[in-house]
Each structure stands twice: as C-alpha cells, then as structure tokens.
Amino acid sequence: MTRQGGAILELGAQDVGEVADVLCESFFDYPVMRFVLGRNSEDYEERLKILIHFFTMARVLKGESMFGIGEADDLSAVALVARVPGQESPAELDELREGIWAELGSAARTRYEAFGAACASFVSEIPHLHLDMIGVRDRDRGRGLGRTLITRVHSMSREDPDSEGVTLTTENPANVALYEHFGYRIVGHATVAPGLKTWSFFRPD
C-alpha cells in the first residue's frame, strides 16, 4: 500500500511508535493537550510524547482498533477506536497508567481527570463505538484522509451487531460544524476550565 493510494491499514502493537508520532504532530497544539500538560511547560513536546504513547498503548492492551493510511513506517493519518462499554482495564494497562502519571505529575493527572469528569455525563448508555483520536500529518491535510477514516469508523459500527452508533468529542470549536456535517448531533457541551470547552457528539447508525 502506498501513501498516495488511500487504502486503510489495520495497525497493531508493532505500529505504536508510528501511530503515536502522527498523533503527536496532529495534536501538538490541541486545547486538551495544552491544558493537561501545562500551557507553558518548557518540556511540553516530551510530555506530549509520553501522554500520546499511553493513549496508543491503551488501545493495544485493551485489544481495540487502530488503523491508518500510508506505509506502516510512514503513516499519513491514523484513528483510534474504542468500544463502549469496553472490557475491564488489564493489569498491565493499570501499571502503565500509574507510571505515566508518576512521570507527568499529579497536577497533570488532576487536570486530565477534570476533563474526563466533564465528558463522563455525556457517555451514552447504549453500546457504541467511540472515535477516540483521529489525526492527519500536516503534509497530508486537504487530501480527504480524515473523511476516509471517519467513514471507515461508521462502517465498522454498522457492521457490528453490538454497536448502535459512533460517539466522539472535540475541544476545537471549528470542528463542531464539521462533525454535524458528517451526521453527528451534539449530546453534551461543557466548560472544563477557563478557555477550554468540550462538545460530545453521537451519530446513530
């Protein structure tokens, strides 16, 4: 598969480094990352790599979906998808989580948990897929790769007898109209902290 071809590649543990690299680039200035890690952190880039690597490993350790577009060692775009309700967190993931927060610090953990609490009340009780993260490298923006990945998630949900739709969240106001265009409806909106708002969406199958 070539980067120009636009085919979708299923990814796994061997791809964690490349997946995390794409997401670090895509989410470098994303509001939640800046909020959690500290807006003026001098080592922000390294801290971002630690956090994104954890998010990526969480999908692997829980046996959830990662897929992307490009070569395995040169991905252009990636998506991480979780199942809700998901399986219980394995012990290895719990250990990794504690290690990550020990490294990033209690203040970062408190801010992350505040964000999670703000979103928790909007979680649908019906079984569904959650588009956890989606990112496209700067060089590949404008090629429709994000649309291709989102469409794939919608197909996954329709083909899954245990899923009734797809949820996602955004903290970028510019994305609200985009997701509504894709058929999502807002099911929740909250202010996490001054300057940080989150929107939760659901798209039924």
Side-chain angles (χ1 to χ4, degrees):
M1 181 185 64
T2 64
R3 182 158 59 89
Q4 292 76 18
I8 295 177
L9 179 67
E10 298 292 333
L11 304 171
Q14 71 279 2
D15 304 301
V16 164
E18 180 67 11
V19 171
D21 192 57
V22 174
L23 293 174
C24 281
E25 181 177 325
S26 302
F27 283 84
F28 188 82
D29 280 320
Y30 199 67
V32 170
M33 302 305 170
R34 289 288 182 178
F35 169 70
V36 170
L37 298 173
R39 300 184 188 281
N40 300 312
S41 174
E42 293 182 358
D43 57 349
Y44 173 78
E45 186 171 356
E46 289 305 311
R47 289 164 64 81
L48 179 66
K49 290 178 180 178
I50 292 169
L51 187 59
I52 294 291
H53 182 266
F54 167 68
F55 291 152
T56 308
M57 281 300 301
R59 301 284 74 76
V60 171
L61 293 175
K62 295 185 75 173
E64 294 174 334
S65 297
M66 299 194 306
F67 49 91
I69 299 173
E71 300 288 351
D73 61 349
D74 186 23
L75 293 170
S76 297
V78 299
L80 311 185
V81 180
R83 182 180 300 281
V84 182
Q87 68 173 14
E88 187 175 343
S89 182
E92 186 177 356
L93 178 56
D94 292 338
E95 293 173 5
L96 178 61
R97 181 183 296 107
E98 293 306 312
I100 289 298
W101 292 124
E103 190 167 2
L104 294 178
S106 60
R109 183 172 195 166
T110 297
R111 290 190 293 268
Y112 178 76
E113 290 175 349
F115 169 70
C119 298
S121 62
F122 307 132
V123 176
S124 173
E125 295 182 358
I126 66 173
H128 64 275
L129 301 184
H130 179 69
L131 179 52
D132 196 39
M133 301 183 80
I134 183 169
V136 179
R137 286 196 184 276
D138 293 342
R139 71 187 184 201
D140 295 302
R141 293 187 182 277
R143 296 177 51 217
L145 302 185
R147 175 186 293 271
T148 297
L149 293 179
I150 290 175
T151 300
R152 173 58 181 147
V153 177
H154 296 166
S155 296
M156 288 172 60
S157 182
R158 289 193 302 269
E159 294 165 3
D160 187 338
D162 295 324
S163 176
E164 298 185 30
V166 179
T167 60
L168 57 82
T169 63
T170 187
E171 290 66 53
N172 184 346
N175 289 341
V176 172
L178 173 65
Y179 291 130
E180 289 178 327
H181 175 74
F182 280 118
Y184 289 85
R185 67 173 187 265
I186 296 173
V187 294
H189 179 214
T191 298
V192 180
L196 179 62
K197 296 183 178 182
T198 186
W199 288 262
S200 293
F201 294 84
F202 177 63
R203 183 185 189 275
D205 290 338

